[in-house]
Amino acid sequence: MACLARIRDSGDEAAFARLFGHFAPRVKAFLMRSGADATLAEEVAQDVMATLWRKAHLFDPARASVATWIFTIARNRRIDALRRARRPEPEDLPWGPEAAPDQAEALALQQESARLGQALATLPEKQRVLIEKAYFGELSHSEIAEETGLPLGTIKSRIRLALERLRHAMK
Amino acid sequence: MTRISHHLTDALLMAYSAGTLPEAFSLTVATHVSMCDECRARLGAFDSIGGALLEEAAEPMAGDSLAATMARIRAAGGTPRARPPAPRRTGVLPAPLCDYVGGDLEAVRWRPVGMGVKQAILPTAKGATARLLYIPAGAAVPDHGHRGTELTLVLKGAFLDDDRRFGPGDIEVAGAELDHMPVADIGDDCICLAATDAPLRFRALIPRLAQPFLRI
């Protein structure tokens, strides 16, 4: 989180190197699990990390963890590179991320995300495999059965609150 | 923001988050999310599953990859780029739809399909089709069933389906089990975005004859 702010504010290359060290290998693994070979995955992972530098100002820590935000960039690149399909994006919120997001709110969201990760790790094997297949692009939407028991309630409420605060701040 | 009472399903949000929906469905989901903070927040929650899965596994990068990435960044201009916030929407159509139409409602190239109903098919990849439908106040879309999934998102006006009312921002998600006949609300003409991943099956003979021409 702090690394992204330093990239955004001062083009800090050391901060970028730290993020790269953690996330580039994870993006590469994500792409390979989605069907890319090692060469393509390496290439796209570099591209994803370069995009992260360029778009650091769009990251909103009150609405997504760093891992979640990088996932969305990697997913979009995967669609371009592997499926050559278009995925229209929702309209940007007219106000974008706050210049100085509430630290406590942002921290709470990051903790909520960590908790979600733990919860996913303890799901029954069958349900977990289904979710992985869905996210690595092996299931159509009609094959994604009703997902009961996914612990999404608190994280959703938190994002919802962040949206409401932004909307309120705009009035 | 109007009160929205009919939302996307979890399966559609998960597939959109995973990036596996056909283009016409992605367009419809993106348009609904543009109008609905509830589903924007739910989508954020589904994206965070992707974030959690991203953290799960790592694959070593090539030895020179950080330097290669920094070179890419410098080649593209170096400093992180700030961008002005998106403008507030002034028209009826949310931004993702405007991209397909080439403007707001006045840019839509309507084609009459009979009974005052008009449609405009949007250019999307095969696998599913998306169209804008214009239904005059009180008129009906012929009784039909589905083989696949049909998404109908109201952009303006409202329609009734049995005893349920769908207003601006509301989305009806109809599966293979549903036979229905949406009727535009009496108050106003209804404009919606409809996406299907299989041809519809009409009950009556005449729409079935017209089907190849309507491309419904």
Side-chain angles (χ1 to χ4, degrees), chain B residues 119-142:
Chain B
Q119 71 166 355
I121 294 174
L122 302 175
T124 56
K126 64 179 196 306
T129 57
R131 76 197 61 233
L132 288 166
L133 282 173
Y134 182 103
I135 312 164
V141 172

Side-chain angles (χ1 to χ4, degrees), chain B residues 168-187:
Chain B
D170 281 331
I171 188 163
E172 181 176 47
V173 180
E177 71 290 349
L178 187 72
D179 273 346
H180 67 156
M181 185 166 69
V183 180
D185 204 359
I186 225 68

Side-chain angles (χ1 to χ4, degrees), chain B residues 83-129:
Chain B
R83 196 181 58 168
R88 244 178 223 266
R89 192 193 316 150
T90 50
V92 174
L93 303 182
L97 253 188
C98 287
D99 288 348
Y100 281 77
V101 166
D104 201 20
L105 271 185
E106 66 278 357
V108 177
R109 295 170 61 196
W110 295 108
R111 299 265 188 275
V113 296
M115 317 281 281
V117 178
K118 294 184 286 185
Q119 71 166 355
I121 294 174
L122 302 175
T124 56
K126 64 179 196 306
T129 57

Side-chain angles (χ1 to χ4, degrees), chain B residues 9-25:
Chain B
T9 61
D10 282 348
L12 281 165
L13 279 168
M14 187 187 271
Y16 179 73
S17 174
T20 49
L21 283 181
E23 186 180 350
F25 281 12

